[in-house]
Amino acid sequence: MGAITIEDLTVRFGDRKALASVNLQIKEGEFFVILGPSGAGKTTLLKTIAGLIPPSEGRVLFGDNDVTGMPPEKRNIAMTFEQYALYPNYSVMGNIAHPLRAPGSKLEKHKVLDRVNKISKMLRIDHLLDRLPRELSGGQKQRVALARAMVREPYAFLLDEPLSHVDAQIRQQMRVELNRLQVEVSNTSVYVTHDYQEALALGDRVAIINSGKIVQVGTGEEVYYHPRNEFVARLVGQPQINIIPARVFNREDKIYLDVLDGMMQIEPPAGIVRKICEQEIEEVNVGIRAQFITLEDGPGREGSVWLDGKVYIYEPFVTYGILTVNVKQHQLFILTAPDGDFEIDRPVRLGLEISELIYFNSITGDNLEGTGA
Amino acid sequence: MSGGKRRNLTPYLLILPAFIITIGILVPFAISAYWSMTNYSLNRPDFHFTGLKNYIDMFKSRVFWNATLVTFKYAISAVTVELGLGLVIALLLNRETLMSKILRPLLILPLMIAPVIGTLMWKLMMSPEFGVANYVLSFFGQRNFPWAASAKYAMFSVVLVDVWMFTPFIALLLLAGLRSLPVPPFEAAKVDGASNWFVFRNLTLPMLMPYIFITIIFRLVDSLRAFDIPFAMTKGGPGDILMTYQITAFNEVFTFLNVSKGAAYMLVNWVLIYAICFVLVGKLQKWRDRIN
Amino acid sequence: MVSIKRGKNDILGDILLGLIFLFFMFPIYWVFTMAFKSDSDILIWPPKFIFSPTLAHFKAILFNQLSEQSVGATTTVNYLGYFKNSLIVSISAVLISLAVGIPAAYAFARYNFKGRENLFFNFLTFRFAPEMLVIIPIYLIYQRLGLYDTYTGLIWVYQLITLPMIIWILRGYFEDVSADLEDAGLLDGYSRLNIAARIVLPIVKPGIAATSLLTFIYAWNNFIFGMILGGTGVQPVTVAALQFISADKLRFGDMAAASILAALPIIILAVYTQKYLIRGLSLGAVKQ
């Protein structure tokens, strides 16, 4: 059980770089989530930690041990696979006991049984031990896969999208259980997902990966409120963050942002202004999350600025509503109360909480606030 | 990387036994190629290198061009008929009628009979005096149809046997292809009210093309090496009417004891098959890319 | 595809299909009945569809006795002996091909190594080569090595048919097994070959069975190798059946019985297992 360090890890498949100079430090006992869209390199990263894919460059360390060249069967790593990878010719019992019966593990027979029984009770699959994998539901298969990983005392758990193939209702329940297990087992875990809610709910820290590169590492709060760039901002949050373009202009020696060709002017905070001047930025993308936009009747409140638009559509979700408003050619999402009554094309005034605005360099997409290092 | 090196050798070790066995087949292959450039004959104790003389003689000889003509006539007519008939059968069997369901499992039968045995069976039926084939023809005013005994109809007779034997193969592969086609385009066409012919022409056929290519490749490779059926039917006769490459080579070696000439025939035959395969596999790849 | 209504087209299609199948099934039926006809019922015009069956031809073939009905027969053919030859050669050839082909197919499916596709393609080109190309030298080599007319010699050369098929088809089956299973096994602490034997092999067992069967059929049906490389000692049944022609022109009934006996075991096998065979027929190119 312990820490995992990844140094300058690069994996090439032919000419394509699946991972490019990845650096990560996963602490002992940490529940570490890797979040990214499909094809970003999440599974490759996991398999490289497990030793299933040899890195082209860089090192993997368990604690202080360099394990880069160590074959997977020697690494003592437990992993669950996206498609479960249960052995179809073994019963549930045989599947869970499989790691304990490996040539290297010299556990006595009755101890193997004890362990399997204990873990299957914990995951509530003890009544399924005689079944074959093909006789199980998706959620049950997932539990068996988890049990097979947890039956050992591995150096670390690697979990590859464990919830992506189970039904929505079971997913919620499994997430809760995973959270609970994490507290009980408190082992180092690396968890891969494309779902930001899972990432925020489970992770002590979250690493966001895109096109084989780590974009940001931080706690859920950090990546949500202080995204490193537009990619992270868009990936995390539902409905998606609103991003609108603005032009920098100078009036009486003060820097302002002109949003959507004169529809609104913002005076950005001093730190942002400094960045704008330093980098000689001419255009900025302004981001604001849906819950920080309010509907205004008259002129906006103190500390907010406003935009005028027309209702595009209103979607009531029983406990909340999402209002989509067209402002010029841009669409903004606004979180509202559930009982809204919005006629299509009705003019509305949107108030934006100025302290919640996030400013991105429109060319690089980087957050001008400069989170992290 | 202690384990790394050992693991790289594993695949080669796993293949090694199979490779050793095939070496036993590769070596004769090379010997054949060498002999084709000598004057090796079983009549003569010693032989020496003669370069391309055998090939030059061969290309000048009537026997070679006859073999070429016979082989291609046989292969092309058999494969063409089999493809057309096989496609019809596959389409008919792909319907969910009671008849199709009953007949589907029978299709594999002719395919499981050895070509030699199948030819024998047809010979029994094609007997001029007592054959049931002529009995059937007699209803159409034909009596004493000579079948393979006549130079005129020998090719027709062996192609008929080939068609009987291998059309089911094509039909089975195409049927498997038809059943693996995605359903949504066909449903969409149905909703749009497209005619059957339109669906066949613009959906079925293009999507089936990779399968058609595979069957053509398999059948062409086999029929360009035709031996069993014409040999069992007439041993290549009457005259040289059914002398394919392989039968010609067989005669060169085992009748005239001319080993080097036989080898030259076979090498030409092999190169032709290889080249045709190469072209068709390339075409197949193109069709696959078009669909994906 | 779903057929919605049974229209005129369906009936027309059924009639056409029936006629086509008549062409394909009739020869089997006819020769089958011929094997049970007395010679006098065979040598008659017009052909008889109704007759009283006799086992004389089967007796003649199997027990090597000439029935009185075999008009003008002069030679006897030890048919059961040839049957045994076919069995020995075909089964041994398939078993050897399995023994060396399974590891090779697994390696081609699972390892990424230099020259993989080239090597793999070479195994297929054996299937493309005209048989005479290798038979000519092998015939002369065998005579020198004393392998002519031996089981060993024939079994070896049969590898030309069975080995490429087994490697080609089984590679596809191995590739169908999720690589995750093997990765999971590795992480559970097993070696790759251990996993291959204990997890992958049981999964592809049905595929191996179907492939063995198909290659067995191809081996059984082969003619040219046995004819040239086997003398009277090891010749298979396909070669023996042809002898009835040269021996006596008029032994129609014996020929029919011989054909039926040679084809019957294969036909029975095929009917039982045909849904597994289709993929094999195309060397795995069509997956079903």
Side-chain angles (χ1 to χ4, degrees):
Chain A
M1 288 191 205
I4 299 170
T5 308
I6 292 158
E7 286 180 6
D8 285 323
L9 196 74
T10 297
V11 172
R12 278 191 209 93
F13 294 134
D15 298 333
R16 201 174 62 86
K17 270 189 187 174
L19 293 176
S21 304
V22 169
N23 284 288
L24 282 178
Q25 290 202 310
I26 300 163
K27 296 175 205 145
E28 183 176 338
E30 187 174 28
F31 199 102
F32 193 85
V33 175
I34 296 167
L35 173 68
S38 59
K42 300 178 303 254
T43 302
T44 307
L45 180 54
L46 217 53
K47 287 189 171 176
T48 315
I49 296 174
L52 297 169
I53 295 176
S56 312
E57 286 157 32
R59 301 200 299 165
V60 177
L61 290 95
F62 288 178
D64 295 328
N65 282 341
D66 185 347
V67 296
T68 315
M70 189 189 278
E73 59 268 34
K74 301 265 163 66
R75 290 196 186 193
N76 191 23
I77 287 285
M79 177 165 171
T80 65
F81 292 79
E82 193 178 344
Q83 311 277 2
Y84 318 128
L86 300 180
Y87 311 121
N89 51 326
Y90 287 0
S91 67
V92 168
M93 172 79 198
N95 265 281
I96 300 175
H98 196 247
L100 301 179
R101 290 170 175 165
S105 140
K106 294 198 172 61
L107 212 59
E108 290 157 55
K109 254 190 184 164
H110 69 274
K111 281 197 178 154
V112 170
L113 285 179
D114 285 352
R115 290 278 285 281
V116 172
N117 282 329
K118 191 180 147 218
I119 213 82
S120 52
K121 271 209 188 83
M122 199 163 133
L123 285 162
R124 289 185 316 221
I125 45 173
D126 44 327
H127 59 296
L128 302 172
L129 287 178
D130 295 329
R131 298 230 191 133
L132 286 173
R134 64 164 176 271
E135 299 163 334
L136 302 177
S137 71
Q140 289 169 336
K141 280 182 191 164
Q142 187 53 68
R143 282 164 203 270
V144 176
L146 278 173
R148 187 174 67 189
M150 291 171 51
V151 77
R152 307 153 53 182
E153 282 159 7
Y155 186 79
F157 290 122
L158 308 179
L159 305 145
D160 190 1
E161 302 256 10
L163 303 185
S164 64
H165 291 279
V166 292
D167 295 339
Q169 294 139 314
I170 302 171
R171 194 180 311 150
Q172 158 76 17
Q173 190 195 344
M174 289 287 292
R175 198 175 71 202
V176 170
E177 281 176 38
L178 274 173
N179 234 333
R180 171 84 194 179
L181 285 171
Q182 172 199 346
V183 176
E184 281 172 25
V185 181
S186 75
N187 205 333
T188 309
S189 304
V190 185
Y191 184 105
V192 157
T193 182
H194 65 271
D195 179 338
Y196 88 96
Q197 289 185 329
E198 272 174 38
L200 299 193
L202 292 166
D204 294 330
R205 283 193 301 154
V206 179
I208 287 157
I209 185 170
N210 185 30
S211 311
K213 292 191 185 104
I214 300 289
V215 184
Q216 185 172 5
V217 182
T219 63
E221 236 164 76
E222 280 167 358
V223 297
Y224 187 82
Y225 289 109
H226 306 284
R228 158 90 39 97
N229 60 20
E230 277 187 50
F231 173 80
V232 177
R234 285 183 201 273
L235 189 69
V236 178
Q238 180 70 32
Q240 213 176 54
I241 192 168
N242 298 300
I243 291 183
I244 36 183
R247 194 169 298 126
V248 175
F249 76 101
N250 198 322
R251 191 172 59 203
E252 296 161 8
D253 274 345
K254 265 191 137 178
I255 296 286
Y256 292 92
L257 297 175
D258 175 30
V259 177
L260 290 174
D261 297 321
M263 287 207 63
M264 179 173 87
Q265 261 111 51
I266 309 171
E267 195 186 335
I272 304 296
V273 171
R274 205 180 318 119
K275 280 274 169 62
I276 291 174
C277 296
E278 274 169 21
Q279 300 177 19
E280 294 174 16
I281 293 168
E282 286 170 4
E283 282 178 27
V284 169
N285 284 344
V286 179
I288 184 156
R289 296 205 178 270
Q291 67 268 39
F292 301 124
I293 302 182
T294 47
L295 295 163
E296 308 287 344
D297 293 329
R301 286 177 287 119
E302 191 71 10
S304 77
V305 287
W306 67 85
L307 284 168
D308 288 322
K310 278 182 179 167
V311 170
Y312 181 70
I313 195 73
Y314 175 71
E315 300 166 280
F317 288 98
V318 184
T319 54
Y320 63 97
I322 294 176
L323 180 67
T324 308
V325 175
N326 278 353
V327 181
K328 287 199 165 167
Q329 71 273 44
H330 281 267
Q331 273 189 342
L332 301 186
F333 301 115
I334 297 114
L335 209 59
T336 69
D339 50 355
D341 180 20
F342 298 95
E343 256 170 75
I344 284 176
D345 287 342
R346 189 187 111 185
V348 283
R349 173 162 289 182
L350 307 175
L352 282 64
E353 199 85 37
I354 206 159
S355 60
E356 297 297 340
L357 296 179
I358 307 174
Y359 305 87
F360 302 102
N361 180 330
S362 72
I363 296 161
T364 61
D366 286 338
N367 188 344
L368 293 174
E369 190 189 32
T371 25
Chain B
M1 280 260 202
S2 59
K5 214 167 197 172
R6 193 157 22 92
R7 245 180 295 158
N8 285 343
L9 264 179
T10 320
Y12 296 104
L13 285 175
L14 290 172
I15 293 167
L16 191 66
F19 191 71
I20 289 172
I21 285 194
T22 44
I23 282 286
I25 299 163
L26 257 176
V27 168
F29 195 93
I31 295 176
S32 257
Y34 170 65
W35 282 352
S36 75
M37 288 184 275
T38 68
N39 63 349
Y40 186 18
S41 159
L42 294 178
N43 288 327
R44 226 177 329 215
D46 58 329
F47 61 94
H48 57 86
F49 189 75
T50 57
L52 294 177
K53 185 172 177 304
N54 278 323
Y55 290 95
I56 294 165
D57 287 353
M58 194 168 71
F59 291 138
K60 282 187 195 157
S61 76
R62 211 196 62 81
V63 177
F64 172 78
W65 293 107
N66 177 65
T68 308
L69 196 68
V70 169
T71 304
F72 277 91
K73 226 160 129 187
Y74 181 94
I76 289 170
S77 40
V79 175
T80 311
V81 175
E82 284 160 20
L83 191 65
L85 190 56
L87 189 58
V88 171
I89 296 175
L91 289 169
L92 287 173
L93 284 180
N94 197 31
R95 305 164 314 142
E96 292 302 316
T97 66
L98 186 64
M99 185 76 129
S100 309
K101 280 182 199 160
I102 294 170
L103 294 183
R104 239 178 259 153
L106 294 179
L107 193 60
I108 205 165
L109 291 186
L111 202 57
M112 291 300 126
I113 295 172
V116 173
I117 302 292
T119 312
L120 216 56
M121 289 164 60
W122 275 91
K123 258 179 97 110
L124 292 174
M125 298 198 301
M126 287 171 170
S127 150
E129 304 97 22
F130 311 106
V132 71
N134 274 352
Y135 178 69
V136 173
L137 285 186
S138 69
F139 291 108
F140 302 95
Q142 266 283 359
R143 184 80 171 81
N144 299 327
F145 188 75
W147 298 103
S150 79
K152 207 171 162 194
Y153 299 111
M155 181 61 85
F156 169 78
S157 303
V158 287
V159 169
L160 181 71
V161 177
D162 200 281
V163 166
W164 179 79
M165 194 108 50
F166 294 112
T167 302
F169 170 76
I170 292 189
L172 274 174
L173 292 202
L174 294 185
L175 183 62
L178 280 174
R179 312 210 125 206
S180 69
L181 296 186
V183 179
F186 291 96
E187 287 176 345
K190 207 165 245 173
V191 172
D192 293 346
S195 71
N196 285 345
W197 173 247
F198 181 89
V199 170
F200 175 75
R201 191 74 194 71
N202 295 298
L203 283 177
T204 318
L205 205 56
M207 288 203 279
L208 205 57
M209 224 45 193
Y211 294 93
I212 292 177
F213 268 109
I214 289 169
T215 54
I216 292 179
I217 291 170
F218 273 93
R219 283 304 305 137
L220 215 51
V221 165
D222 270 352
S223 54
L224 285 173
R225 323 179 285 178
F227 182 88
D228 291 12
I229 294 175
F231 189 85
M233 191 64 98
T234 65
K235 294 206 157 66
D240 55 6
I241 287 291
L242 294 181
M243 289 281 197
T244 61
Y245 280 130
Q246 283 226 78
I247 296 180
T248 308
F250 174 82
N251 280 344
E252 283 291 348
V253 177
F254 294 98
T255 311
F256 307 120
L257 307 179
N258 223 327
V259 174
S260 56
K261 272 206 173 146
Y265 271 100
M266 282 299 85
L267 222 66
V268 169
N269 192 188
W270 179 74
V271 167
L272 278 174
I273 290 173
Y274 202 92
I276 288 171
C277 254
F278 200 79
V279 173
L280 284 176
V281 169
K283 280 239 162 83
L284 170 70
Q285 211 51 53
K286 251 188 216 151
W287 270 100
R288 282 210 165 128
D289 294 346
R290 249 178 83 167
I291 284 173
N292 297 331
Chain C
M1 277 174 275
V2 218
S3 71
I4 292 175
K5 58 169 194 263
R6 245 187 93 80
K8 219 194 302 177
N9 280 341
D10 272 346
I11 295 167
L12 274 175
D14 278 355
I15 293 171
L16 183 58
L17 196 60
L19 286 174
I20 292 173
F21 266 75
L22 200 61
F23 166 69
F24 284 103
M25 295 305 138
F26 181 77
I28 298 174
Y29 160 79
W30 186 252
V31 175
F32 189 79
T33 58
M34 197 185 253
F36 292 96
K37 281 179 184 171
S38 64
D39 276 338
S40 54
D41 278 344
I42 293 171
L43 304 176
I44 198 166
W45 184 272
K48 264 188 155 174
F49 283 82
I50 297 158
F51 59 94
S52 50
T54 164
L55 288 175
H57 301 300
F58 289 98
K59 276 187 197 147
I61 287 175
L62 292 178
F63 308 113
N64 207 6
Q65 42 182 256
L66 294 174
S67 64
E68 284 167 28
Q69 305 197 11
S70 309
V71 182
T74 51
T75 35
T76 61
V77 178
N78 177 14
Y79 208 69
L80 267 188
Y82 293 111
F83 223 83
K84 192 185 80 187
N85 292 343
S86 273
L87 275 178
I88 291 176
V89 173
S90 304
I91 290 177
S92 317
V94 172
L95 288 180
I96 289 174
S97 284
L98 280 177
V100 301
I102 288 175
Y106 177 76
F108 281 122
R110 274 295 182 264
Y111 289 89
N112 213 337
F113 54 94
K114 231 180 126 192
R116 177 174 73 171
E117 294 310 316
N118 278 334
L119 208 55
F120 185 61
F121 192 70
N122 276 329
F123 279 104
L124 181 75
T125 49
F126 290 129
R127 205 183 113 79
F128 288 175
E131 296 91 336
M132 285 299 296
L133 185 63
V134 289
I135 287 182
I136 298 168
I138 283 182
Y139 174 72
L140 297 168
I141 294 169
Y142 273 14
Q143 299 229 320
R144 211 163 298 165
L145 294 180
L147 283 172
Y148 175 79
D149 197 17
T150 62
Y151 287 129
T152 319
L154 217 48
I155 290 165
W156 190 6
V157 78
Y158 266 50
Q159 297 305 311
L160 193 66
I161 317 165
T162 53
L163 190 54
M165 280 187 86
I166 282 189
I167 292 179
W168 265 74
I169 303 170
L170 285 189
R171 178 189 185 173
Y173 279 109
F174 278 124
E175 277 173 349
D176 282 355
V177 178
S178 159
D180 281 353
L181 282 184
E182 281 165 82
D183 286 348
L186 285 176
L187 294 176
D188 283 351
Y190 294 80
S191 71
R192 192 172 273 278
L193 291 183
N194 194 338
I195 300 156
R198 290 176 50 261
I199 291 167
V200 180
L201 219 49
I203 295 174
V204 292
K205 212 159 69 184
I208 293 178
T211 311
S212 314
L213 195 77
L214 190 73
T215 44
F216 171 79
I217 292 169
Y218 271 74
W220 179 277
N221 286 349
N222 184 276
F223 168 68
I224 192 166
F225 290 132
M227 180 181 80
I228 297 173
L229 300 175
T232 46
V234 301
Q235 262 173 1
V237 73
T238 41
V239 181
L242 209 61
Q243 287 181 357
F244 285 98
I245 301 180
S246 32
D248 301 282
K249 263 204 154 9
L250 295 177
R251 289 175 68 184
F252 281 19
D254 290 356
M255 270 165 75
S259 304
I260 292 301
L261 279 179
L264 211 59
I266 303 299
I267 287 185
I268 291 169
L269 277 178
V271 169
Y272 269 104
T273 54
Q274 68 160 317
K275 76 171 174 190
Y276 303 106
L277 296 183
I278 293 169
R279 180 174 173 176
L281 286 171
S282 60
L283 287 186
V286 177
K287 292 196 173 173
Q288 203 191 29

